[in-house]
Amino acid sequence: MACKRKSFKVDGPLHLTRVDWSNSSHRSSVAACLVEGVYSREEERQQCCHGGDSGGALASSAWWESFGFQLNQVLIDDKDKSIFGAVYELKLWSQAQAQAQAQVEVGKPQPPKLVIAFRGTLIEKRSWLQDFRLDRHIVQNTLHNSNRFLDGL
């Protein structure tokens, strides 16, 4: 089964070799890539668990590793076992490094230490029912009662 998700090597912002955290377009591109990483991980999970070939290293990792992040935690729905989010950490972040850089570049936005990314609704065999149930929570303004909200919190 071929991957339906986007490939970082084809669709990723390859021109963005160095992130300027003061540039809102750069921040938006990185955020979009981290979310795409969640979508890709869920697709890889579905393919691997249901007859697909994972092919060794996960292709989804390019969506976060390209910007110096590592995957710290995968958020998994208890009901359908789908991946709905991820916690990323900047690899080389340290308090001393951040303080030193902040002193040099006062007022310039610093890279985030942690990023929590959530995917949206997927219309895939293994996750659509739970995703639509959660969409109903949004419409009814009861998302705070959902298991994904509590896990994300």
Side-chain angles (χ1 to χ4, degrees):
M1 176 191 283
C3 229
K4 294 181 231 172
R5 298 289 331 151
K6 299 175 183 176
S7 162
F8 184 82
K9 291 180 180 180
V10 175
D11 299 307
L14 300 178
H15 66 282
L16 195 56
T17 57
R18 186 170 185 275
V19 179
D20 175 2
W21 292 101
S22 64
N23 183 322
S24 63
S25 178
H26 286 201
R27 292 191 309 267
S28 294
S29 292
V30 172
C33 287
L34 297 177
V35 170
E36 186 62 37
V38 178
Y39 277 106
S40 295
R41 278 299 299 261
E42 172 57 14
E43 183 177 77
E44 288 168 350
R45 181 197 69 84
Q46 288 187 16
Q47 288 179 355
C48 178
C49 295
H50 301 97
D53 179 18
S54 67
L58 296 173
S60 60
S61 65
W63 289 103
W64 59 84
E65 288 178 349
S66 299
F67 301 107
F69 286 92
Q70 63 187 17
L71 181 62
N72 265 12
Q73 183 179 357
V74 175
L75 302 175
I76 299 174
D77 190 295
D78 291 336
K79 293 185 179 181
D80 68 357
K81 305 301 180 208
S82 67
I83 296 170
F84 69 91
V87 179
Y88 301 102
E89 182 175 11
L90 196 60
K91 287 181 188 177
L92 301 175
W93 194 93
S94 73
Q95 192 67 21
Q97 178 186 14
Q99 288 174 350
Q101 187 176 7
Q103 289 174 354
V104 173
E105 303 176 38
V106 175
K108 188 173 182 181
Q110 301 300 307
K113 177 183 179 185
L114 295 171
V115 176
I116 303 172
F118 299 97
R119 68 167 173 81
T121 301
L122 276 175
I123 305 180
E124 302 287 338
K125 276 200 272 188
R126 305 286 181 197
S127 61
W128 73 269
L129 185 59
Q130 183 66 359
D131 283 357
F132 280 117
R133 284 184 185 134
L134 289 162
D135 288 348
R136 189 187 77 232
H137 278 289
I138 293 170
V139 171
Q140 296 172 336
N141 198 26
T142 58
L143 187 61
H144 58 281
N145 295 330
S146 72
N147 61 318
R148 287 188 187 178
F149 175 85
L150 297 173
D151 287 348
L153 188 61

